[in-house]
Amino acid sequence: MRRTAFAIAALLTYVLGVNAQQHNIDTQHSMLTIHVGKTGAFSGLGHEHEVRAPIHNGTADVGSHPAVEIHVDARELRVIDKDASEKERAEVQKTMLGPEVLDSEHHQEIVFKSTVAEPAGQERWTLRGNLTLRGQTRPLTLQVTHKDGAYAGEAAVKQTDFGIKPPGKTGIRAKDELRIVFDVRLTP
């Protein structure tokens, strides 16, 4: 009886797993970068912002049914504006993590989980899934390309879709639409 149960379990594992190629995301060599534009009458006086979002953990299945799940700790996002002073970066950082934007103390995790992967050419896919940000989940579409061992691409996200009013002052604000660029590598 035990031998039969073991054989059935082994067969199911093989049949169900034969097309699965699940890997962990290499968090040391993967990165998300968020580009925040500016708008308004005085936008020429302000800075566009660049934010690094290290991937906390995640998995990707690169088998016959591609799928990905990525987790980012919102508290680890860092403003890296090259043209801003340290004081300006600290101010933007405080606003970004604060209650009016990410509210990272109450909403610590940002998650993307794919639901469908559609081929879009050789080594290219359109991933559809759900992004959870600031406690709200919305659909998101990503264009992904596999090149040189990395899965790279970008997506656009509107802050207002997640209940965030783009921060700023009179005459200069952050644009509603953010551009997220990613470079994800997998562990062997």
Side-chain angles (χ1 to χ4, degrees):
M1 178 73 167
R2 271 191 196 181
R3 192 175 277 175
T4 303
F6 178 75
I8 291 172
L11 180 63
L12 284 174
T13 300
Y14 175 76
V15 170
L16 295 175
V18 74
N19 291 324
Q21 296 179 23
Q22 188 161 358
H23 297 272
N24 288 323
I25 291 177
D26 182 348
T27 59
Q28 298 299 311
H29 298 99
S30 299
M31 186 61 63
L32 301 173
T33 304
I34 303 161
H35 298 274
V36 184
K38 56 188 175 168
T39 188
F42 301 114
S43 61
L45 302 174
H47 299 284
E48 293 197 352
H49 303 298
E50 189 172 321
V51 177
R52 287 281 158 86
I55 297 172
H56 184 65
N57 65 52
T59 58
D61 185 334
V62 294
S64 59
H65 300 288
V68 67
E69 184 169 332
I70 293 176
H71 296 255
V72 172
D73 184 335
R75 299 167 298 176
E76 294 179 6
L77 272 66
R78 295 292 172 257
V79 176
I80 59 168
D81 298 351
K82 295 173 182 86
D83 296 332
S85 69
E86 190 172 322
K87 180 182 176 188
E88 290 169 323
R89 281 192 301 274
E91 216 174 273
V92 173
Q93 178 85 22
K94 183 178 177 183
T95 300
M96 175 184 70
L97 297 179
E100 292 183 17
V101 182
L102 291 176
D103 195 10
S104 65
E105 284 305 310
H106 294 103
H107 305 287
Q108 297 171 2
E109 194 167 52
I110 300 168
V111 178
F112 174 76
K113 186 172 184 177
S114 68
T115 55
V116 175
E118 301 165 349
Q122 187 171 352
E123 298 292 320
R124 298 184 57 164
W125 301 267
T126 298
L127 273 181
R128 298 183 197 290
N130 293 307
L131 177 66
T132 301
L133 172 67
R134 202 174 193 260
Q136 298 186 33
T137 302
R138 301 287 181 263
L140 180 66
T141 300
L142 310 170
Q143 301 303 317
V144 182
T145 302
H146 182 241
K147 184 179 179 185
D148 299 328
Y151 293 87
E154 63 181 69
V157 174
K158 286 189 174 183
Q159 297 182 73
T160 51
D161 288 347
F162 295 89
I164 301 169
K165 179 181 176 187
K169 301 172 186 169
T170 303
I172 183 167
R173 305 195 77 69
K175 283 188 176 179
D176 186 17
E177 187 170 281
L178 309 176
R179 187 170 59 99
I180 302 171
V181 177
F182 56 90
D183 183 80
V184 174
R185 296 178 184 273
L186 307 179
T187 58

